[in-house]
Amino acid sequence: MPERKERSDELFLESLMDTNLYSMGAYFSDQHPELVDEVIDQAVAIEQQGLRGYADANGLSLEACFETLLTGLAVRYYKAVAA
């Protein structure tokens, strides 16, 4: 029975890797490894302050903040699934 569960878990993890969010996180992590921690930190700050609050406090557009938030989420998702 444990072997069956392991196979089921593997299939589930594979399905998580077959998403746009995973691909986006993998691409960013591969292309900009030096920025991974920074984009995650910024995404967390955006989550805490909200899009408009972060944008206003940092002189950024809502669109730029949303892109950073989405990238940070994608990188965290990629790191969680790939680990």
Side-chain angles (χ1 to χ4, degrees):
M1 191 68 149
E3 185 175 314
R4 187 176 211 181
K5 181 184 178 326
E6 288 175 19
R7 180 67 182 144
S8 177
D9 287 350
E10 285 300 315
L11 290 173
F12 177 68
L13 286 175
E14 286 176 24
S15 74
L16 294 177
M17 293 179 193
D18 190 27
T19 65
N20 288 336
L21 197 59
Y22 181 89
S23 297
M24 187 173 144
Y27 178 81
F28 186 88
S29 296
D30 288 345
Q31 295 298 311
H32 307 287
E34 73 283 1
L35 298 176
V36 166
D37 291 335
E38 183 178 335
V39 78
I40 289 173
D41 291 345
Q42 287 179 349
V44 169
I46 294 168
E47 290 172 19
Q48 293 171 345
Q49 296 177 31
L51 282 173
R52 188 170 305 280
Y54 189 86
D56 291 346
N58 292 282
L60 301 170
S61 70
L62 287 176
E63 185 176 351
C65 287
F66 180 73
E67 289 173 2
T68 301
L69 174 63
L70 190 57
T71 301
L73 293 172
V75 169
R76 290 188 336 207
Y77 180 84
Y78 166 72
K79 289 176 72 170
V81 173

